[in-house]
């Protein structure tokens, strides 16, 4: 972070923390032509700061042209504290009805944030220590990476917790599995229990098997906490579709499907616009709105145009654009 790296003659780059996942970066690219130099800013994925674990996103000083993501370009997240209370309430409800809570998770960041929260709540007595299974080989490996770089890349409060209180990703009742045969052991454990498994959009990974096993029972619950792309199994569940195809199986979904998006690791519309406001030396003359579904990108482009007066473009596939 913060170092100027020469990529080619006349082209150098600088990375700043984008606050999205561990090690995520926005990039400032400096391109020289003769005596003139243009600064191109690539947001990459921008984070939903503040985070329990990561430092807040950083802001580029300025840019002639900015390429900005728009995953949530037309949406606002609910406050994180509201999301935390909702999750606690869901867990308590699942316990009271002796049910299974399935949470499809991304291996990077989403898993670690959830483990951090569960650790805190169980230690404080906010929720009982019931069996929690993390069935994702990649998530297990990534969590080890988080532990390895805690002192280097966590925010100050998280570093202090790691030093003073030990491993924030481990707690009473947690069982991290990485072998396929472990799933049989998980199935034998009576409810109540929580199962975290990949993938985050429920396409691929091991979550599909658990949805097939537990999704037919109306007392169980599936909690969606991450972005779900169009056409994915997660999106169909989010839209309350009941007839699901999982691999070669067709099931009738009877489990309750809930959602909480305050845990998203992506900035929402408000935070994207706040990020843009900080770029002022020079102020961008042009924005390219990328990395989002069409409605999201178009909505953010219109908001940026009204806010900045700059030229705002949602690029078309295969088309070339000249930055003067």
């Amino acid at each position: 972070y913060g170092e100027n790296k020469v990529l080619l003659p006349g082209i150098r780059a600088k990375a700043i923390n984008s606050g999205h996942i561990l090690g995520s970066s926005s990039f400032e690219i400096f391109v020289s032509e003769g005596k003139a130099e243009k600064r191109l800013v690539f947001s990459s994925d921008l984070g939903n700061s503040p985070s329990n674990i990561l430092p807040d996103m950083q802001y580029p000083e300025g840019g002639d042209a900015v390429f900005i993501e728009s995953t949530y370009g037309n949406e606002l997240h609910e406050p994180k504290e509201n999301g935390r209370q909702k999750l606690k309430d869901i867990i308590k409800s699942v316990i009271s009805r002796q049910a299974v809570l399935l949470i499809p998770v991304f291996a990077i960041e989403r898993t670690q944030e959830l483990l951090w929260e569960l650790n805190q709540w169980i230690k404080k007595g906010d929720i009982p220590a019931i069996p929690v299974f993390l069935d994702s080989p990649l998530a297990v490996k990534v969590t080890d990476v988080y532990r390895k770089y805690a002192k280097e890349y966590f925010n100050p409060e998280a570093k202090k917790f790691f030093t003073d209180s030990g491993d924030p990703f481990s707690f009473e009742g947690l069982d991290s599995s990485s072998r396929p045969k472990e799933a049989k052991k998980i199935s034998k454990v009576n409810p109540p229990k929580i199962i975290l498994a990949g993938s985050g959009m429920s396409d691929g990974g091991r979550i599909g098997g658990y949805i097939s096993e537990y999704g037919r029972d109306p007392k169980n619950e599936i909690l969606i906490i991450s972005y779900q792309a169009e056409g994915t199994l997660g999106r169909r569940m989010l839209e309350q579709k009941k007839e699901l195809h999982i691999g070669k199986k067709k099931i009738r979904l009877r489990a309750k499907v809930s959602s909480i998006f305050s845990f998203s690791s992506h900035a929402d519309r408000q935070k994207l616009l706040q990020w843009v406001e900080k770029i002022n030396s020079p102020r961008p003359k042009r924005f390219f709105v990328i990395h989002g579904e069409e409605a999201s990108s178009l909505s953010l482009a219109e908001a940026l145009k009204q806010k900045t007066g700059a030229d705002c473009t949602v690029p078309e596939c295969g088309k070339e654009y000249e930055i003067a």
Side-chain angles (χ1 to χ4, degrees):
Y1 291 132
E3 295 183 12
N4 280 289
K5 299 286 186 181
V6 176
L7 306 181
L8 292 166
I11 302 177
R12 58 189 175 91
K14 182 172 71 173
I16 59 174
N17 198 327
S18 71
H20 173 60
I21 62 174
L22 190 73
S24 59
S25 304
S26 299
F27 288 91
E28 296 176 86
I29 310 293
F30 302 85
V31 182
S32 297
E33 285 186 329
K35 295 182 179 179
E37 183 177 70
K38 295 291 182 183
R39 185 185 303 190
L40 311 181
V41 176
F42 294 84
S43 73
S44 307
D45 287 338
L46 292 173
N48 185 20
S49 301
S51 159
N52 286 328
I53 301 171
L54 305 177
D56 290 350
M57 69 171 80
Q58 294 177 308
Y59 303 93
E61 293 177 2
D64 295 290
V66 174
F67 297 76
I68 184 170
E69 68 122 319
S70 57
T71 307
Y72 288 103
N74 60 350
E75 296 182 41
L76 298 176
H77 298 321
E78 63 184 326
K80 287 191 175 183
E81 198 49 51
N82 291 9
R84 291 186 181 102
Q85 188 56 53
K86 280 187 180 180
L87 180 54
K88 288 180 191 176
D89 292 343
I90 287 171
I91 292 172
K92 290 174 183 177
S93 176
V94 164
I95 292 170
S96 70
R97 57 184 196 264
Q98 295 291 293
V100 179
L101 176 61
L102 301 180
I103 308 180
V105 291
F106 290 113
I108 304 176
E109 193 59 30
R110 186 59 51 252
T111 294
Q112 293 74 38
E113 287 278 355
L114 268 182
L115 294 178
W116 184 287
E117 296 284 9
L118 292 171
N119 177 304
Q120 302 291 307
W121 298 342
I122 289 170
K123 284 184 176 179
K124 292 177 184 176
D126 292 345
I127 60 172
I130 65 169
V132 177
F133 297 96
L134 173 59
D135 190 7
S136 168
L138 182 57
V140 171
K141 290 179 180 179
V142 169
T143 303
D144 285 338
V145 173
Y146 271 65
R147 292 184 179 105
K148 180 178 178 180
Y149 291 100
K151 293 181 180 178
E152 190 171 353
Y153 289 113
F154 282 13
N155 65 41
E157 294 79 10
K159 287 179 185 177
K160 187 175 188 307
F161 182 92
F162 203 91
T163 301
D164 296 347
S165 304
D167 187 355
F169 307 120
S170 182
F171 48 85
E172 182 184 353
L174 176 64
D175 187 341
S176 297
S177 305
S178 58
R179 288 180 250 174
K181 67 179 182 180
E182 294 293 316
K184 294 181 179 179
K185 181 182 75 173
I186 295 172
S187 296
K188 291 177 181 178
V189 175
N190 292 327
K193 59 187 174 185
I194 301 171
I195 301 173
L196 315 176
S199 69
M201 297 187 196
S202 300
D203 280 344
R206 297 180 180 174
I207 191 66
Y210 292 114
I211 295 170
S212 294
E213 182 176 357
Y214 296 109
R216 307 168 197 260
D217 190 334
K219 76 177 180 181
N220 295 331
E221 191 158 347
I222 300 169
L223 178 61
I224 306 293
I225 59 169
S226 302
Y227 177 77
Q228 307 295 311
E230 287 185 7
T232 61
L233 177 59
R235 183 67 162 259
R236 293 195 293 276
M237 292 191 294
L238 193 61
E239 293 169 348
Q240 302 298 318
K241 300 288 194 295
K242 298 302 179 185
E243 299 295 332
L244 302 178
H245 290 273
I246 302 175
K248 295 181 180 180
K249 294 182 181 179
K250 182 179 179 180
I251 74 160
R252 175 74 179 173
L253 184 66
R254 293 184 173 86
K256 180 180 180 181
V257 177
S258 305
S259 61
I260 303 173
F261 289 112
S262 60
F263 292 106
S264 174
S265 55
H266 279 273
D268 64 5
R269 178 190 182 95
Q270 182 179 11
K271 287 180 179 175
L272 291 170
L273 293 174
Q274 287 174 349
W275 183 81
V276 165
E277 283 181 351
K278 302 281 187 178
I279 308 174
N280 54 29
S281 183
R283 290 289 294 168
K285 297 174 183 176
R286 192 161 192 189
F287 289 93
F288 292 93
V289 182
I290 58 175
H291 191 71
E293 293 179 11
E294 186 177 15
S296 245
S297 298
L298 290 171
S299 177
L300 183 62
E302 183 60 31
L304 284 170
K305 187 174 182 179
Q306 292 179 8
K307 194 172 192 68
T308 67
D311 183 357
C312 299
T313 302
V314 178
E316 297 176 32
C317 184
K319 187 173 179 179
E320 293 184 359
Y321 297 87
E322 183 176 338
I323 301 171

